[in-house]
Amino acid sequence: MPTDPYAWIEQSLTTIHRADWYRSVQTIHGRPGATVILAGQEVINFASNDYLGLAGDERLISSGVAATEEFGTGSTGSRLLSGHRELHRKLEEAIASLKQTEDALIFSSGYLANLGAIAALMGKRDLILSDQYNHSSLKNGAILSGAAVIEYPHNDITAVKTHLMQERQNYRRCLIVTDSVFSMDGDLCPLPALLNLAEEFSCMLLVDEAHATGVMGETGAGCVEYFGYTGKPLIQIGTLSKALGSLGGYVAGSATLIDFLRNRAPTWIYTTGLSPADTAAALAAIEIVQQEPQRRIQLWRNVDYLKQLMQEYVIDLKLLPSESPILCFQLPSAAEALKAGKYLRDAGIFAPAIRPPTVPTSRIRISVMATHQAAHIEKLVAVLGDRTTVI
Ligand SMILES: *Cc1c(COP(=O)(O)O)cnc(C)c1O
């Protein structure tokens, strides 16, 4: 009897269940916001990446609706064939203006921007140095490129330097890749030190600003602005799907880089252009980021308020180091993290357990929004402070 070639899938799922690594979707009803309806229950939302509360903003919604009315639902082809619209170019110019770069290129998602850019820039004779905590899209982009990859311990600048001294001369091109705000930890990359090493060893430096755009820096341009490196020779990647409340990704950098990617990035060339609605919504979001700094100011006030209350009332929970609106506290196991997530959920707080293989150690991840009210933050702290046996 031949064995069932698909039988292993069920066995594999069983193993995932046993490790408490199993995941499934949870349905949110209605519009996104500081509170949402989760499976029929209203909860305070500390689980979204919608930092500025723009995904439910009337102006983004009406821009998306108007673009759909005018240009239809789909772009109907790849950008180089029938899929290019004036709206796409406008959005690319708006991103370049926010980032103060010569040009920008929009992709269907941040994930595809990373895959496409890294695969286009690097090849077999090249070396990629990648932070161990980097986002999946950076790691898979490095694999796709065929370059040699060295993963260095998280934010360990000495390790980066050692690898460069030992290995740089054996390769043609070298690319250092890093998240700027680490998505599941909330800390920042050591951008000044990385840029110095990139200059010293003639390496390109790619920073993923997914969680920084709209959030970090005086004008919301991201960590590059926050560190005072606007205008430096960098490859900046980001998403339209977090603080910008839409869907899509981008690369921002020199005009030469962008022109090259239009000719070489497979995940841009061989895929359909962004939908008119997503494009118009992101364009409206960038305008709001630039014209309403008070949203960003309120976001940081909320972050400070939460940190201050946590320090006063929840002293026993171990917060991971964070310099962003992402705050995580570590738990001893995946099962403990799931229990904590459920406890919070029962108390009306939506803050998910993040477990391996997404992260090396299990945790609860809290993301703060500009549209959270003081009462939302106080409730979170009260719930965290009141717990007895759980967490
Ligand atoms: C979310 C995220 C991405 C992917 O962006 P999408 O637009 O959601 O595909 C890439 N990099 C980092 C660091 C992220 O957090």
Side-chain angles (χ1 to χ4, degrees), residues 109-111 114 135 137 179 183 208 210-211 239 241-242 248:
S109 73
Y111 206 112
N114 275 329
H135 189 261
S137 54
D179 283 19
S183 55
D208 183 338
H211 290 273
T239 179
S241 333
K242 288 171 180 153

Coordinates of all heavy atoms in Angstrom, one line a residue, residues 109-111 114 135 137 179 183 208 210-211 239 241-242 248, ligand 1:
S109 N 2.9 45.3 -0.9 CA 3.0 45.2 0.6 C 4.4 45.5 1.0 O 5.3 45.4 0.2 CB 2.6 43.8 1.1 OG 3.6 42.8 0.8
G110 N 4.6 45.7 2.3 CA 6.0 45.9 2.8 C 6.8 44.6 2.7 O 8.0 44.6 2.4
Y111 N 6.1 43.5 2.8 CA 6.8 42.2 2.7 C 7.4 42.1 1.3 O 8.5 41.7 1.1 CB 5.8 41.0 2.9 CG 6.4 39.8 3.4 CD1 6.2 39.3 4.7 CD2 7.2 39.0 2.6 CE1 6.8 38.1 5.2 CE2 7.9 37.9 3.1 CZ 7.6 37.4 4.3 OH 8.2 36.3 4.8
N114 N 10.4 44.3 0.7 CA 11.7 43.8 1.2 C 12.2 42.6 0.3 O 13.4 42.6 0.0 CB 11.5 43.3 2.6 CG 11.7 44.4 3.6 OD1 12.5 45.3 3.4 ND2 11.0 44.4 4.7
H135 N 12.6 41.2 10.8 CA 11.3 40.7 10.3 C 11.5 39.6 9.3 O 12.5 39.6 8.5 CB 10.6 41.9 9.7 CG 9.1 41.6 9.3 ND1 8.7 41.3 8.1 CD2 8.0 41.6 10.1 CE1 7.4 41.0 8.0 NE2 7.0 41.2 9.3
S137 N 10.3 39.2 6.5 CA 10.4 39.6 5.0 C 11.9 39.9 4.7 O 12.4 39.7 3.6 CB 9.5 40.8 4.7 OG 9.8 41.8 5.7
D179 N 15.6 46.0 11.0 CA 14.5 46.8 11.4 C 15.0 48.1 12.0 O 16.0 48.0 12.6 CB 13.7 46.0 12.5 CG 12.8 44.8 11.9 OD1 13.1 44.3 10.8 OD2 11.9 44.4 12.7
S183 N 9.9 45.0 15.5 CA 8.4 44.9 15.5 C 7.9 44.1 16.7 O 6.7 44.4 17.1 CB 7.9 44.3 14.2 OG 8.6 43.0 14.0
D208 N 14.4 49.0 7.7 CA 13.0 48.7 7.6 C 12.3 49.6 8.6 O 12.3 49.3 9.8 CB 12.7 47.2 7.8 CG 11.3 46.9 7.6 OD1 10.4 47.8 7.6 OD2 11.0 45.7 7.3
A210 N 9.1 50.0 9.0 CA 7.6 49.7 9.0 C 6.9 50.2 10.2 O 5.8 50.8 10.1 CB 7.5 48.1 9.0
H211 N 7.5 50.1 11.4 CA 6.9 50.6 12.6 C 7.3 52.0 13.0 O 6.9 52.5 14.1 CB 7.2 49.6 13.8 CG 6.5 48.3 13.6 ND1 5.2 48.1 14.1 CD2 6.9 47.2 13.0 CE1 4.8 46.9 13.8 NE2 5.8 46.3 13.1
T239 N 6.1 50.4 5.2 CA 4.8 49.9 4.8 C 3.7 51.0 4.8 O 3.9 52.0 5.5 CB 4.3 48.8 5.8 OG1 3.0 48.3 5.4 CG2 4.3 49.2 7.2
S241 N 0.8 50.1 5.6 CA -0.3 49.4 6.3 C -0.3 49.5 7.8 O -1.1 48.9 8.5 CB -0.1 47.9 6.0 OG 0.5 47.7 4.8
K242 N 0.6 50.3 8.4 CA 0.7 50.4 9.8 C 0.2 51.8 10.2 O -1.0 52.1 10.1 CB 2.0 50.0 10.4 CG 2.2 48.5 10.2 CD 3.5 47.9 10.5 CE 3.3 46.4 10.3 NZ 4.6 45.7 10.0
G248 N 0.0 48.2 1.5 CA 1.1 48.4 0.5 C 2.4 48.7 1.2 O 2.5 48.8 2.4
Ligands
LIG1 C1 4.7 44.5 9.1 C2 6.2 44.5 8.7 C3 6.5 44.3 7.4 C4 5.5 43.9 6.3 O1 4.7 44.9 5.9 P1 3.3 44.6 5.2 O2 3.0 45.8 4.5 O3 2.4 44.3 6.3 O4 3.5 43.4 4.3 C5 7.8 44.4 7.0 N1 8.8 44.7 7.9 C6 8.5 44.9 9.2 C7 9.6 45.2 10.2 C8 7.2 44.8 9.7 O5 6.9 45.0 10.9

